[in-house]
Amino acid sequence: QSVLTQPPSASGTPGQRVTISCSGNNSNIGGNYVSWYQKVPGTAPKLLIYRNNQRPSGVPDRFSGSKFGTSASLAISGLRSEDEADYYCASWDEILNGVVFGGGTKLTVL
Amino acid sequence: QVHLVESGGGVVQPGTSLRLSCAASGFSFRDYGMHWVRQAPDKGLDWLGVIWHDGTNEFYAESVKGRFTISRDNPKNRLYLQMDSLRVDDTGIYYCATDPKPYSGYDSPGGGWGQGTVVIVSS
C-alpha cells in the first residue's frame, strides 16, 4: 500500500490527452514538491516533472504537471506510442521524513 | 552531463552484507544530495534513502532503517550504500540518483539516474 495513491492503469489513443492523478495528504503533497517519473522496463527511471510543474531540459512540453492541495496530476498531450510506460509520482513526506512514491500507473497507448 | 554508474551488486545469502557504489561524473557531485532507489521484480519504485550534499544529514525509509547506511566521498565523487542483514525482499535493481537542484534539501530524486545494479538475495 503506497502512501501516494495513483490509478493502476490509464489508456489513450495516439494524439489524445491523458491525465494521471496522484493523491496524498498534508504531510507530503500538501506541503512539499511533487515529481513525476517515466519508467520503461529495462531502463532507468526518467524525470519528467520536478517541483510540481518544472520540466527538465529535453523533456517535451507535451508533458505537464500541476498540483492542487493534496493532489497532483501529470498530463500528457499528443499521446504517442513511445509514451507507453509506467508513471510514478513522488513527494517528500514530513512525518515519515523521507520520499514517498505512488504505486505507479501503467499507461497503454491503444 | 550527469553520469552515474552503480556497481557492487550480486547474489548473496540472507543475513549477509553487500556494499554498493555509485561513481559520479559530469557534474559538481559535492553540490548535490544523492538518493538510492530500488525496484523489486514486478513492483514499483521504492525510495531507500538520501544523503545531503555535504553528508550532514541522512534519511532512510522505515524498511531499511538500521540495516542500510548511505555515505559519500566527495573528493572521490563516490556514493555508497552499505546493506547489512539482507533479506529476500531486498532483491531488486538498485539505482542511485541526484537531487533535482544543488542544495535541494527535502526533495525527491532529480534527473540524474544510473543504469542500476542488480542485487539478488537468495538461499
Side-chain angles (χ1 to χ4, degrees), chain B residues 2-68:
Chain B
V2 174
H3 190 54
L4 300 171
V5 179
E6 301 92 341
S7 61
V11 182
V12 296
Q13 292 191 330
T16 60
S17 299
L18 201 59
R19 188 196 199 201
L20 305 184
S21 180
C22 171
S25 60
F27 67 107
S28 185
F29 178 74
R30 66 173 182 261
D31 294 336
Y32 282 78
M34 295 294 297
H35 301 253
W36 285 98
V37 177
R38 72 184 173 192
Q39 186 172 34
D42 297 320
K43 300 287 186 184
L45 297 178
D46 183 24
W47 180 82
L48 300 177
V50 63
I51 185 167
W52 283 16
H53 68 285
D54 55 3
T56 54
N57 264 317
E58 300 157 40
F59 299 98
Y60 297 92
E62 281 299 320
S63 60
V64 304
K65 200 174 291 184
R67 299 189 302 123
F68 289 12

Side-chain angles (χ1 to χ4, degrees), chain A residues 23 31 60 68:
Chain A
S23 177
F68 299 99

Side-chain angles (χ1 to χ4, degrees), chain B residues 47-115:
Chain B
W47 180 82
L48 300 177
V50 63
I51 185 167
W52 283 16
H53 68 285
D54 55 3
T56 54
N57 264 317
E58 300 157 40
F59 299 98
Y60 297 92
E62 281 299 320
S63 60
V64 304
K65 200 174 291 184
R67 299 189 302 123
F68 289 12
T69 304
I70 301 175
S71 60
R72 64 190 298 157
D73 186 334
N74 283 349
K76 292 184 178 179
N77 288 346
R78 286 263 179 174
L79 174 74
Y80 303 100
L81 179 66
Q82 176 66 41
M83 304 186 294
D84 299 322
S85 303
L86 281 162
R87 310 189 300 222
V88 171
D89 62 0
D90 292 318
T91 294
I93 303 173
Y94 284 69
Y95 300 97
C96 60
T98 66
D99 258 344
K101 291 286 188 183
Y103 321 113
S104 284
Y106 307 97
D107 212 339
S108 306
W113 291 74
Q115 83 293 346

